[in-house]
Amino acid sequence: MQAMKDTQIKKLIEAEKKRQKSVINLIASENVVSKDVLEALGTELTNKYAEGYPGKRYYGGNEVVDKLESLTQDRARKLFGLNASRWHVNVQALSGSPANLAVYLALVPLGGKIMGMSLDNGGHLTHGYKVSMTGKAWKQIPFGVDPKTETIDYVDLKAKAIAEKPDIIVGGFTAYPRIVDFKKLRAIADACGAILMVDMSHFAGLVAGKAYPSPFEYADVVTTTVHKTLRGPRSALIFSRLDKTITNQKGVAHSFSELIDKAVFPGLQGGPHLNQVAAVAVALKEAASPAFKKYAVQIIKNAAALADELKKLGWRIISGGTDSHLILMDTWSPPVGGGAGLGGKEASDRLEKAGIIVNKNTIPGETRSPVDPSGIRLGTAAETTRGKKEKDFRKIAQKIDKVLRKR
Ligand code: DSN
């Protein structure tokens, strides 16, 4: 391939490549994609406009991209063991936030209620939090964790759901380390007449690798980004049950799938980013391999080792550990054995100087602010891609301890 002529941008790309290689990346929502994924992103598919869906476009010249989009849908269903007669998948959402917004736009009347995990308990902004559009156009009914166990309080969740009658319940998280009980969420949704959506963005790769429970047996809609544990490009998928319908005021029933497709395009977006769709297809095929299954299992083993070592070193880990790729560490509580605690911002800054990249994060019962909260979030997906094993993560824990304990 000819070298890039824009040397200014080329230099920045090279600098970022070097930065990524030189650090230990513990950002729980990042990963390192394959060369094939990168290659698909940098192709002529970016030149093509294809507003609409396969077989129903508003532009000509779609014989290739129709095949591409249908193949991507087939691969997405196959990866999660879904039957095409029961599940539809939209592969056009540009990323996780627009995907979640599209679901609400399709299925929840404006002003209706979204029941989602609160931000400081590990929920995502798009689960109805006030600063997101999802908290402005709809009302959030927050649920959270039991303050003692720091795991989801399903009894409280059920009581709130029955009292508030939300239109939709969102299971899923951005900073919650444990398994979510989808069966319980289904029963609660049924008890209050809500739709059950699961946002599996963080753990989709773990579900694909059968290392974390699948939500598909219980959910009506499942959204996911592709770029976290699933190790693909920045993008999102929206799975919906074909047999679920909403009847409009004229008495006409529309399937969730039909309504979601319309919400994505023309509701929120224009033409799909087809180079991105191709890269999603590549990542989905990679995630179906036996090597990926081993990878998913290793991610969790590594997270368990990291949490265990940090605990042994005297740090408080939210909920006492992890069942996934992510750990929430309380940096504000002083560690056992000496040293004072420190705010999440200082912890994250110090670690960055030492070559470890994390993000500051609120913790359940947060008493500080989101810009300088009480903890940090750690994830093991990216460094597991780079081949690290439990012993490496124990060493990383020791390095974290050294950097944070130092006065
Ligand atoms: N910002 C992502 C994360 O880090 O979890 C979610 O959007």
Side-chain angles (χ1 to χ4, degrees), residues 27-29 97 124 173-175 202 225 227-228 234 359 377:
I27 303 271
S29 46
S97 294
H124 190 249
F173 53 77
T174 203
H202 265 273
T225 50
H227 48 277
K228 298 184 174 90
R234 302 194 65 96
N359 66 276
R377 187 183 66 164

Side-chain angles (χ1 to χ4, degrees), residues 27-246:
I27 303 271
S29 46
E30 292 183 6
N31 212 323
V32 185
V33 300
S34 70
K35 289 224 158 46
D36 284 5
V37 167
L38 284 181
E39 190 177 325
L41 282 171
T43 58
E44 290 73 6
L45 287 164
T46 197
N47 299 337
K48 183 73 195 109
Y49 241 123
E51 282 180 357
Y53 290 98
K56 290 170 280 178
R57 307 278 191 190
Y58 291 83
Y59 295 77
N62 296 293
E63 64 271 25
V64 177
V65 297
D66 273 7
K67 280 188 199 145
L68 170 70
E69 187 166 343
S70 301
L71 178 60
T72 309
Q73 290 173 307
D74 290 345
R75 286 187 179 180
R77 273 186 295 250
K78 192 169 169 209
L79 180 63
F80 295 104
L82 307 176
N83 195 311
S85 64
R86 192 168 158 86
W87 286 92
H88 174 66
V89 57
N90 182 302
V91 300
Q92 295 194 4
L94 301 178
S95 208
S97 294
N100 288 350
L101 187 54
V103 175
Y104 307 141
L105 189 63
L107 308 181
V108 184
L110 290 174
K113 294 178 182 174
I114 298 170
M115 186 162 194
M117 207 181 213
S118 69
L119 196 72
D120 65 347
N121 280 230
H124 190 249
L125 291 167
T126 59
H127 297 173
Y129 192 61
K130 59 186 179 204
V131 300
S132 147
M133 184 63 200
T134 64
K136 296 184 196 296
W138 297 277
K139 181 176 187 289
Q140 190 193 41
I141 309 298
F143 67 86
V145 298
D146 175 301
K148 280 207 190 80
T149 61
E150 296 179 317
T151 59
I152 295 174
D153 183 345
Y154 293 97
V155 174
D156 180 65
L157 197 167
K158 184 174 181 184
K160 273 191 190 142
I162 287 170
E164 292 281 355
K165 295 201 177 0
D167 296 279
I168 193 165
I169 296 179
V170 185
F173 53 77
T174 203
Y176 178 73
R178 295 299 188 173
I179 280 171
V180 175
D181 191 332
F182 303 121
K183 191 175 179 184
K184 276 193 185 151
L185 291 185
R186 176 77 262 168
I188 295 169
D190 288 344
C192 68
I195 294 165
L196 178 61
M197 162 178 152
V198 172
D199 176 352
M200 65 168 185
S201 294
H202 265 273
F203 50 92
L206 308 179
V207 173
K210 302 203 172 6
Y212 189 97
S214 168
F216 286 101
E217 192 183 337
Y218 303 106
D220 303 309
V221 177
V222 176
T223 60
T224 184
T225 50
V226 186
H227 48 277
K228 298 184 174 90
T229 50
L230 198 48
R231 207 164 63 185
R234 302 194 65 96
S235 190
L237 307 170
I238 308 173
F239 297 89
S240 52
R241 283 267 303 269
L242 281 159
D243 59 335
K244 297 281 175 157
T245 58
I246 290 180

